Amino acid sequence: MPYIPYTRQQQQIMLETIGLRSMDELFQDIPSPLRSPEFDVPRGKSEMQTVEHLRHLASLNSTGLKSFLGAGFYDHYIPAAVSALVNRSEFYTAYTPYQAEASQGSLQALFEYQSTMCRLMDMDYANASVYDGGTAIYEAMMMAVRQTKRRKIIISEDINPIYQSMLKCYTKNLHLELIVVAQKDGLPDLETLQGALDDSCAALVVQNPNFFGYILDYSDLFSAARDNGVVSIISVYPIMQSVLKTPGEMKADIAVAEGQSLGLPLSFGGPYLGIMTCIRKLIRQMPGRVVGRTQDVKGREGYVLTLQAREQHIRREKATSNICSNQSLCALQALAYVCLTGPDGMRSIAAKGMELARYAASRLCSIQGVEMLNQAFYGNELAIKLPMNAYDLLSRMIPQGFVPGFPLGRYYPGMEDCLLMAFTEKNSQQDIGMLTELMRGIIEG
């Protein structure tokens, strides 16, 4: 923690130098509700005392919990070699690879990342990533708007509600028409989605597995979208792509994903990784950077940034997301994870999560009043109905060292008694057994 020992007198001298009278005046352009609150650190403390105070505050957090929390972000084991490779100085300190002659290592790594994501999604092209999964959906949506010259977007309500909030925020001033088709017991309303498609729609946005953990085949829906000239966008969970029907097999036009589960730690919410892939027809609408492989005049293989204008070279209203040096490090981390895990390892991780989810379902549904939200096919994540409020259950289990899941009522009114639970290779049958008995004790009394 940097200790910044400026006195009030020194601060006042600096403010007067730039013609201001107070710190409030310095930050007046930031709305007051968005400014940092008072940290409530006692005055007159030394650096050592301040650090001790902050450590004490940090110790009040609940840590070391057994977690079954997913909802779009998953706690997977990260092989130690991933960190060892990514932290090599030639990658860790590399600047954005504008100059191909000085950046062949970074460019080759990004090219291999793109190739890997294309194989994972079964799509034609990938870019060198964007900021996160929500940004990737937004950029995919804007690709569709540019391609079709239309402004209506059809969104299934069972995509991650965080992504839905991001889409509303990003498009607030863009005069797009976002139509959200309500889910039914955690499942997309395929009939209504298909009925909403017409020649005024730019894009259709769905997710697989969806936010409730259910696995779906959108092939027929994508076919209907194609008949209406609508761009099909699907957001996926990359780990599950090794065992599920891929976006390419469903004939999606754009496939995106949150890449956190590929070797990136949860880290309190980031930095994460937005994976973007598309079919050949849409490559010129792809935002961010695309690395290509070529040959020089002597026939030597080399890698270059291609198809892209630098963000500084285009007008603001036409600008798209772009990655920085640090973001490409996240892409490299995902590449290292996939290479070290391999296709068999990916399938094994996906299968383990699904196996544990089914074991958990059988155990949890033995508790009086607990049942599955519906009988649809699910992956490593499942939604259950409780005979009590899910928040109340959470508040009673955390002191006992367990986070049983995500309360769906937070984003879906009427589902206050529903809980979303995720399972990865870091969970065990023993953990699930302890979880079940704790829940049974609370629910059955």
Side-chain angles (χ1 to χ4, degrees), residues 23-330:
M23 294 296 281
D24 285 341
E25 196 173 341
L26 179 63
F27 295 114
Q28 63 180 343
D29 291 335
I30 303 175
S32 55
L34 301 181
R35 295 180 199 171
S36 296
E38 177 61 48
F39 291 111
D40 196 25
V41 177
R43 297 187 183 281
K45 298 290 185 184
S46 67
E47 177 179 330
M48 184 177 73
Q49 291 169 325
T50 303
V51 170
E52 286 177 353
H53 177 72
L54 294 176
R55 283 179 175 158
H56 167 68
L57 293 177
S59 71
L60 300 178
N61 289 324
S62 297
T63 58
L65 303 171
K66 294 286 184 185
S67 177
F68 299 88
L69 194 60
F73 309 95
Y74 302 93
D75 187 19
H76 287 287
Y77 177 73
I78 302 172
V82 171
S83 178
L85 289 169
V86 169
N87 283 294
R88 288 178 62 93
S89 60
E90 58 267 46
F91 292 124
Y92 198 72
T93 63
Y95 184 58
T96 304
Y98 290 128
Q99 292 178 279
E101 65 274 22
S103 307
Q104 283 300 293
S106 296
L107 287 166
Q108 181 176 346
L110 288 173
F111 178 82
E112 291 178 3
Y113 161 83
Q114 292 172 186
S115 305
T116 302
M117 294 305 120
C118 285
R119 289 186 63 185
L120 194 62
M121 304 286 197
D122 198 14
M123 300 291 281
D124 297 331
Y125 290 95
N127 69 7
S129 82
V130 290
Y131 296 114
D132 53 34
T135 306
I137 292 184
Y138 163 74
E139 289 295 352
M141 205 172 72
M142 297 311 295
M143 286 173 66
V145 170
R146 291 192 295 272
Q147 179 72 15
T148 63
K149 313 298 183 192
R150 303 171 182 173
R151 309 194 73 77
K152 189 162 78 176
I153 313 292
I154 308 297
I155 301 170
S156 186
E157 194 195 25
D158 62 313
I159 73 165
N160 192 317
I162 296 173
Y163 298 164
Q164 294 182 51
S165 298
M166 292 175 70
L167 296 181
K168 290 174 186 171
C169 177
Y170 282 12
T171 59
K172 185 176 181 181
N173 298 312
L174 295 182
H175 309 294
L176 297 180
E177 184 183 1
L178 303 186
I179 297 176
V180 179
V181 175
Q183 48 82 29
K184 290 181 177 177
D185 289 334
L187 291 168
D189 185 344
L190 296 176
E191 189 175 338
T192 304
L193 283 168
Q194 186 163 336
L197 298 171
D198 58 34
D199 59 8
S200 67
C201 295
L204 164 73
V205 185
V206 296
Q207 181 173 322
N208 187 49
N210 72 3
F211 182 69
F212 298 83
Y214 297 119
I215 293 171
L216 297 124
D217 184 350
Y218 293 104
S219 300
D220 293 341
L221 188 62
F222 290 167
S223 176
R226 195 160 47 251
D227 292 342
N228 286 280
V230 179
V231 175
S232 302
I233 300 169
I234 185 169
S235 175
V236 301
Y237 174 23
I239 289 287
M240 294 293 290
Q241 291 315 292
S242 54
V243 295
L244 299 183
K245 190 171 185 177
T246 64
E249 290 172 321
M250 292 187 207
K251 304 297 182 188
D253 296 311
I254 303 173
V256 298
E258 170 52 67
Q260 174 272 322
S261 55
L262 301 179
L264 275 68
L266 289 165
S267 267
F268 296 97
Y272 287 165
L273 174 71
I275 298 170
M276 289 198 76
T277 62
C278 70
I279 59 172
R280 182 183 181 86
K281 178 183 175 184
L282 297 173
I283 181 60
R284 289 191 177 275
Q285 302 296 346
M286 183 78 94
R289 299 191 171 94
V290 177
V291 178
R293 184 168 61 188
T294 187
Q295 290 184 334
D296 66 10
V297 292
K298 296 181 179 177
R300 294 174 299 190
E301 189 173 81
Y303 299 88
V304 293
L305 289 177
T306 185
L307 293 176
Q308 307 299 302
R310 282 179 63 179
E311 64 270 37
Q312 297 94 332
H313 294 168
I314 51 181
R315 286 179 295 171
R316 181 179 177 183
E317 62 272 20
K318 290 184 178 296
T320 59
S321 293
N322 221 317
I323 60 168
C324 62
S325 307
N326 194 48
Q327 186 62 34
S328 68
L329 196 67
C330 294

